[in-house]
Amino acid sequence: MAKAAHADTLRLNSPIEDAPGVGPARARLFERLGVRTVGDLLRHLPMRHEFEAAEGGVDDLPVGAVGSVRGTIVAARFVPSMGFGKKGRFEATLRDAQGQTVSLTWFNARYLQDKLHPGMVLRVQGKNKPYNGYPQIVNPKWEALDDDEPPEAAERVRPIYPAAEDLPSRVIEKVVEQTAPRALPLVADPLPAELLHHHNMPALDEAYRMMHQPAHMDEAAEARRRLAFNELLLLQLGIAMKRRFVQDRLTAPPLPHNAAIDEHIRERFPFELTPAQKKVVGEVADDLSKTRPMNRLVQGDVGAGKTVVALYGLLMAVLDRKQGALMAPTELLAEQHFASISAMLEGSSIRLALFTGARNGERAETLDAIKAGEVDIVVGTHALLSDTVAFHDLALMVIDEQHRFGVMQRAAFRMGPKDAPIRRVPHHLVMTATPIPRTLSLTVFGDLDVSTIDTLPPGRIPVTNRVVGQDKSDEVYRYLNTRLERGEQAYIVVPTIDAAGHETAQQLKSVNELAKLIQDKYCGGFKVAAVHGRLKRETRQRIMDRFRRGEVHVLVATTVIEVGVDVPNASVMIIEHAERFGLAQLHQLRGRVGRGDDGRRSLCVFIAEPTTEDGRKRMDAIASSNDGFKIAEMDLQIRGMGDFFGTRQSGAAPLKVAAIPDDMDLLLLARRDAQKMVDADPYLTHDDHLLLRKVLLQHHGEALGLIDVG
Ligand code: ADP
Ligand code: MG
């Protein structure tokens, strides 16, 4: 037998096909679940455990307590409630091997009509509550069995696995059962035994055993704790090691700061800084004056005024005859920053350049000027990170509206010759309008210092929100016209449908068609224009400029306008198919209005037909609050942490077992342990840390920029 030949050579990285009971077809199904190797199988953890009573006959069913019985369905029917077509109960009669019967009832379970049929063998579990002395279970759990399935003789805890079509949890369970005895002894524990002993935690192999095959529920909980701790400790170690690395091996130019410099910079701003901005500017200036590279995140709701904080830092760099760069997530936003910074610096001798991915004639010239130090501040997109861009003397890199962890990390560690014992890097400032709940800032963003701009500039009036159905869109667009007549401007946003986040041809057509419809049918007296990502830069810029100057009144746009666009006179936003947007994105979009200080109240209309529970929750949430921090918390609740900030795509391994914020205590424990370990052995080079170090670099090396730790 082919399998037997592998018996003593099974390894954790053996293909899943080498596991007992797995042939090529099943291996493909496992792959769909991300299980490619035997090790992956061990790491494919149950999402929950269910208690199962020992299986018996109907006569063995305890009264009023949970019991389990096996039998054949002898009758089944749906009984509609009076007057309601869809509601009703599903009833079945189950006969056991001795010929005794129990009646089963499920309320509001019409769908069972298609699932349960006479002749099927079921195991059901639930509380027996006899009716007229006749055994009955209401809403029992059930599973369909093959005729020859051996009975569950004893009560047990059953793992319930994330499954796929044609690969149900039960099959995964069987494969794990057969594989575990050979695979578990191969698991090496990266954590020092002493530490585990101290926390009273099981070794890793034992934790996997307890997770997959717990003897009782407490074992599963104990295993979960160990595995969650593992994840959190690795992450905290990565963060502690990176902090240490920054301290030991990186240096940034200290930028002078004093009252005269402060005054000189503030003169440039057309307004007084708010107290919140002053506080954050102070924190940034303080960091910039040190040789330890700044790694700071400034969070502030949309419209809070983050740009001037960035500009303040950039001007500190320029005053010290060094360069500053501002990186924006889209070309549109880079152009906008370039325009507004140019306006603020008008009349000064500061030299500004715009550098985006667009290939135009000036590109080579701009690159030369940046390299020669003939440009003081460069505003651009991710193109700034490409290898072709060489700075003369970059002191500060600002990354605006960046929610993607990976991008920030890569940006932070690219600068300077790699082999120098001490590398010179620029300071880094990251700005985001998506606030980070504290639990997250300690985990995913743990290596950043955080500043918060927690108030808006004066004079802002909260946006009024309306969620309406498609049937109201005619009314909405008629009302839009009356707002335009009052001299206001509006955005209309159409979603990107494509799953990869690209605009599809279909959709671009819909942007243009919608613009035409609104122009012709509703807003004949005004100018309506469309913008989307596929327009040439010049064209888009021309339209945006006209919108800014008030020559275009309605801008129909895709999410290219999501971040940063700042036209204070635009006070109405209408979002089509709002249910297709994420909550954070809706909040970002809404942030484009409510920016005026003329006492007018802005309006945001969400046209939505939510079809899912999450969709309805998002609409309720967006309508109920204008507060970005609250929205972010609700978003975290609805989406879960893995999705937050797109960490999933960025390669930073999301936490799989640990749950944030529930495991806050474990997180703090891991943080303390990690700090102690790194204090004693900064790069984990001691013998008993080598495995830990290897696992750490595998998991977080790239995302945290630890590769160079070497
Ligand atoms: P965001 O934090 O969303 O990036 P911006 O920096 O674009 O916000 O600022 C939003 C608007 O508020 C801009 O028009 C800006 O000029 C204005 N602004 C910023 N700070 C102040 C202030 N202290 N007083 C008045 N207006 C301000
Ligand atoms: Mg901004």
Side-chain angles (χ1 to χ4, degrees), residues 396-437:
L396 170 63
M397 169 69 93
V398 179
I399 304 168
D400 188 24
E401 300 293 358
Q402 193 45 256
H403 328 300
R404 299 263 312 271
F405 181 53
V407 177
M408 285 160 24
Q409 302 299 338
R410 278 197 295 283
F413 279 87
R414 211 188 51 93
M415 309 289 169
K418 284 222 153 84
D419 37 6
I422 299 217
R423 276 164 58 192
R424 220 191 99 151
V425 296
H427 294 285
H428 281 87
L429 182 63
V430 180
M431 304 194 290
T432 179
T434 310
I436 303 180

Side-chain angles (χ1 to χ4, degrees), residues 271-274 277 300-308 337 344 400-401 433 457-458 460 564 566 568 592 595:
F271 38 69
E272 225 352 67
L273 294 182
T274 62
Q277 284 169 324
D301 209 347
V302 281
K306 294 181 289 292
T307 314
V308 286
H337 276 316
M344 277 194 241
D400 188 24
E401 300 293 358
R460 299 282 172 81
D566 186 25
R592 300 310 110 213
R595 298 185 152 236

Side-chain angles (χ1 to χ4, degrees), residues 114-152:
D114 304 326
K115 304 211 161 192
L116 298 183
H117 308 286
M120 283 172 75
V121 177
L122 296 190
R123 174 158 51 225
V124 301
Q125 175 171 306
K127 274 188 193 166
N128 176 20
K129 289 188 183 154
Y131 181 69
N132 284 341
Y134 188 79
Q136 172 191 258
I137 307 179
V138 174
N139 294 333
K141 274 196 289 194
W142 62 272
E143 69 191 297
L145 302 179
D146 292 335
D147 260 340
D148 54 353
E149 195 129 354
E152 293 291 348

Side-chain angles (χ1 to χ4, degrees), residues 500-563:
H502 296 302
E503 293 170 345
T504 61
Q506 163 77 35
Q507 188 202 356
L508 295 188
K509 187 163 150 252
S510 71
V511 174
N512 290 325
E513 272 173 8
L514 186 64
K516 189 170 178 333
L517 175 79
I518 286 162
Q519 178 77 80
D520 295 349
K521 184 165 173 200
Y522 297 101
C523 305
F526 299 96
K527 179 77 192 131
V528 181
V531 286
H532 50 75
R534 294 218 189 143
L535 286 180
K536 274 218 210 77
R537 184 164 77 107
E538 290 76 25
T539 314
R540 201 176 58 212
Q541 212 162 13
R542 207 174 51 234
I543 297 173
M544 286 307 297
D545 283 342
R546 294 187 62 201
F547 186 64
R548 218 167 275 139
R549 290 198 300 264
E551 295 162 18
V552 163
H553 308 96
V554 179
L555 200 62
V556 182
T558 59
T559 49
V560 293
I561 62 148
E562 180 182 340
V563 282

Side-chain angles (χ1 to χ4, degrees), residues 582-605:
L583 197 46
Q585 204 178 12
L586 287 174
H587 183 67
Q588 285 287 328
L589 285 167
R590 172 171 63 186
R592 300 310 110 213
V593 295
R595 298 185 152 236
D597 51 9
D598 53 3
R600 218 160 41 193
R601 187 178 282 277
S602 293
L603 171 68
C604 191
V605 183

Side-chain angles (χ1 to χ4, degrees), residues 242 245-253 291-293 394 409-428 704-710:
K242 174 157 171 205
F245 177 75
V246 167
Q247 193 179 315
D248 290 354
R249 306 264 303 272
L250 302 181
T251 175
T291 51
R292 185 189 193 282
L394 183 65
Q409 302 299 338
R410 278 197 295 283
F413 279 87
R414 211 188 51 93
M415 309 289 169
K418 284 222 153 84
D419 37 6
I422 299 217
R423 276 164 58 192
R424 220 191 99 151
V425 296
H427 294 285
H428 281 87
L704 284 171
L706 291 173
I707 301 293
D708 332 6
V709 169

Side-chain angles (χ1 to χ4, degrees), residues 301-324:
D301 209 347
V302 281
K306 294 181 289 292
T307 314
V308 286
V309 173
L311 186 55
Y312 191 104
L314 293 169
L315 292 177
M316 276 176 69
V318 175
L319 288 176
D320 196 34
R321 305 195 165 282
K322 296 188 167 57
Q323 291 172 302

